[in-house]
Amino acid sequence: MKVVSVNLGERKSVSYNGKIIETGIFKYPAKSPIFLGEEDVENDAVIDRKHHGGIDQAVYAYSEQHYDYWKKLYPDLDWEFGVFGENLTITNLEETSILVGSQYKLGETIIEVTKPRQPCMKLGLRFGTQAILKQFWNSTKSGIYFKVVKTGKVSVGDILTPIHIAENSQSIAEVYSSKKP
């Protein structure tokens, strides 16, 4: 599992149902390494601290392979990495085999699997339709939140290397399925 993109976003105002919504979901590939802090990624906009960022959601990763699935459903979308709001786009990151509590070395960091992403209306803002929410829930392609055990920089090309695989733990896909609305 290799990092193919590191992504950052800035605060953005978007009109939705007659209201102005502030969001950090519009992330784009960064040209240099990113720093994973204890509660978020440095220089990445986190607007809603109740639902994003914090110890258990410090960094969000999404699988490069999932992009092919979504491109078929949304062929007219601008398909740069970061479109799901992920900080890290990683090859072969598979929710059905990643276990909660497992730890990985990545670049200078050590990160620990905490939970799947639960989509909100801001993903719909990025996709231009709220239909994406139901489609996202009906897949196992949730992406993965990590807590940062050891802070540091992560670069394109860094390898996600297991250092501790949790025993008797659920996969991210199992946790995600149990949370479906």
Side-chain angles (χ1 to χ4, degrees):
M1 295 175 282
K2 182 171 78 171
V3 175
V4 294
S5 186
V6 294
N7 312 299
L8 297 172
E10 296 179 357
R11 177 183 293 263
K12 183 172 179 165
S13 298
V14 179
S15 178
Y16 177 70
N17 283 348
K19 296 180 182 177
I20 300 297
I21 305 289
E22 298 287 319
T23 182
I25 197 165
F26 289 84
K27 298 191 189 322
Y28 297 95
K31 295 185 185 338
S32 55
I34 60 174
F35 185 86
L36 307 188
E38 289 181 5
E39 293 195 23
D40 56 26
V41 176
E42 191 174 272
N43 298 317
D44 183 49
V46 178
I47 310 305
D48 177 3
R49 290 277 176 184
K50 182 178 177 185
H51 297 103
H52 303 286
I55 299 294
D56 288 337
Q57 297 179 150
V59 63
Y60 177 54
Y62 203 72
S63 181
E64 175 189 30
Q65 279 63 33
H66 294 345
Y67 272 71
D68 289 338
Y69 173 84
W70 297 108
K71 283 178 182 179
K72 291 174 186 167
L73 295 174
Y74 296 93
D76 298 330
L77 199 65
D78 179 10
W79 282 105
E80 281 190 273
F81 291 130
V83 75
F84 292 94
E86 78 271 20
N87 302 109
L88 303 169
T89 313
I90 299 176
T91 61
N92 302 310
L93 187 68
E94 182 50 58
E95 292 86 347
T96 59
S97 60
I98 302 286
L99 303 178
V100 173
S102 296
Q103 291 186 348
Y104 295 84
K105 174 134 180 55
L106 183 63
E108 299 175 350
T109 73
I110 295 175
I111 56 178
E112 183 177 312
V113 177
T114 57
K115 59 176 131 180
R117 178 232 199 119
Q118 295 181 32
C120 70
M121 54 78 68
K122 291 181 180 178
L123 183 63
L125 294 177
R126 183 73 194 257
F127 273 70
T129 176
Q130 295 301 313
I132 183 68
L133 300 181
K134 186 173 183 181
Q135 293 165 326
F136 201 85
W137 273 114
N138 287 331
S139 77
T140 57
K141 298 164 181 35
S142 64
I144 301 169
Y145 276 118
F146 293 90
K147 76 163 116 180
V148 178
V149 177
K150 178 182 176 226
T151 64
K153 290 182 182 175
V154 173
S155 303
V156 169
D158 286 345
I159 304 296
L160 187 69
T161 306
I163 56 174
H164 169 75
I165 301 301
E167 294 182 24
N168 302 316
S169 185
Q170 289 185 302
S171 73
I172 286 293
E174 289 170 326
V175 173
Y176 188 62
S177 291
S178 72
K179 303 237 183 242
K180 286 185 182 181

